[in-house]
Amino acid sequence: MLVDKRVPFLYLLKMVKYEMLIVLFLGIGIHFLTEKIYDYLPEMPLTIATFLGTAISVLLSFKMSQSYDRWWEARKIWGAIVNDSRSLVLQLQAFIKTENADSHIIKTISYRQIAWCYSLGQSLRGLNPLQNCEAFLSEEELNKVAKFSNKPLGILQLNTGEISSLRKQNALSDFEHIQLNTTCVRFSDSMGAAERINSTVFPTTYRMFLHFTIYLFVTILSVALKNVKLGYEIPLLLVISLVFFMLEKTAFHLQDPFRNRPSDTSVTAIARTIEINIRQLLKEENVPEPITKDEFYIM
């Protein structure tokens, strides 16, 4: 997630470097072409380019709005995961008697929840889902989870199975079991919602059409500026198209909040916050530090 107000311009420029090269060659090519056939070209009024630029602005506005909605929904999902993770530990501490054996069960379930948060974040980004989970799961649990294609789901099943066993041992009442099971169901719902965002592709044809429209705009504007010197025309084309392409690329990155990019939802930092909260609820002293920003973003 981008957290610094001063995002490096070089980072923004890298996002659109190929588009700028196309605009550069397109502008130079059209300029020299119009010089050769200058007498045969009709006058191209700037109002056509203005109209097309307005249409592009509307299309970009729509795409930015839709992309931000997807990013914000992802952030709300992880906000719910934070709240439910805290609630799970508090419910366990309230429902289960604080004997030594019971405290061990609370710690086991809590550690699995920490592992689930890290695993879900890694899975959504297409990385190793069990990375950072070795400290929270036993070797036996890791072997069980490894058999699942969906590793976070396997970890969640371990916890629901543990809670079900507690009910069979009469360590939980029916009401307490229902409350804990409801919390686990919310974890499954949150995981499904995040996976839905991750697997639902924003229409590719929309982006292709938008790019084509911007290049068409550059072409028309270049023809309309045929009387302008090349040294003024090319920078003007680059600056105007740079704004359009940067907005489009920003929207493109926001529409996929789990792609391991600086614009991602900061799932790793959120998982670390959950780990800190749970360890403090367990009254542990060895609590890790929050993940701080790496340059101008936080993952």
Side-chain angles (χ1 to χ4, degrees), residues 55-271:
I56 293 171
S57 300
V58 173
L59 292 172
L60 281 173
S61 176
F62 172 78
K63 184 174 182 181
M64 182 66 76
S65 174
Q66 296 300 310
S67 298
Y68 184 76
D69 282 346
R70 282 166 63 97
W71 187 91
W72 181 239
E73 184 183 358
R75 184 59 187 87
K76 288 194 294 184
I77 289 168
W78 275 87
I81 290 173
V82 173
N83 296 338
D84 289 335
S85 297
R86 295 167 179 165
S87 299
L88 176 67
V89 180
L90 291 172
Q91 286 174 332
L92 289 169
Q93 291 175 334
F95 296 157
I96 300 177
K97 298 179 179 62
T98 55
E99 298 174 1
N100 291 334
D102 296 331
S103 298
H104 174 70
I105 292 173
I106 293 174
K107 181 176 180 179
T108 300
I109 296 176
S110 300
Y111 269 37
R112 285 182 191 145
Q113 180 56 30
I114 296 173
W116 180 83
C117 294
Y118 281 117
S119 179
L120 178 59
Q122 293 288 105
S123 175
L124 291 171
R125 286 176 172 166
L127 304 175
N128 179 11
L130 294 180
Q131 186 178 347
N132 300 324
C133 294
E134 298 83 359
F136 308 106
L137 298 175
S138 66
E139 186 176 349
E140 181 184 356
E141 290 171 337
L142 285 170
N143 292 333
K144 287 181 180 179
V145 172
K147 297 177 182 178
F148 283 76
S149 57
N150 189 325
K151 304 298 189 291
L153 183 61
I155 298 173
L156 191 59
Q157 187 189 50
L158 291 177
N159 266 353
T160 55
E162 189 79 61
I163 292 170
S164 180
S165 297
L166 289 172
R167 176 65 194 99
K168 291 176 182 177
Q169 297 167 13
N170 293 321
L172 294 172
S173 66
D174 287 337
F175 172 78
E176 292 166 344
H177 179 248
I178 290 171
Q179 292 298 308
L180 287 169
N181 190 60
T182 301
T183 303
C184 289
V185 168
R186 288 202 297 269
F187 288 132
S188 180
D189 290 342
S190 296
M191 178 171 64
E195 290 170 342
R196 169 177 52 79
I197 293 174
N198 209 31
S199 61
T200 304
V201 180
F202 200 93
T204 344
T205 50
Y206 190 93
R207 189 177 190 221
M208 292 172 60
F209 172 73
L210 189 53
H211 272 217
F212 171 77
T213 309
I214 296 175
Y215 290 131
L216 179 62
F217 165 79
V218 170
T219 303
I220 293 175
L221 183 59
S222 181
V223 173
L225 297 176
K226 61 183 180 180
N227 294 320
V228 179
K229 291 182 179 180
L230 184 64
Y232 294 104
E233 177 188 345
I234 297 303
L236 184 61
L237 291 176
L238 288 173
V239 169
I240 295 175
S241 59
L242 178 67
V243 175
F244 285 148
F245 280 119
M246 276 189 175
L247 287 173
E248 191 280 330
K249 188 68 77 168
T250 300
F252 175 70
H253 283 185
L254 285 178
Q255 76 187 30
D256 297 313
F258 306 115
R259 286 293 185 272
N260 204 28
R261 291 188 290 239
S263 56
D264 272 14
T265 301
S266 52
V267 294
T268 305
I270 294 173

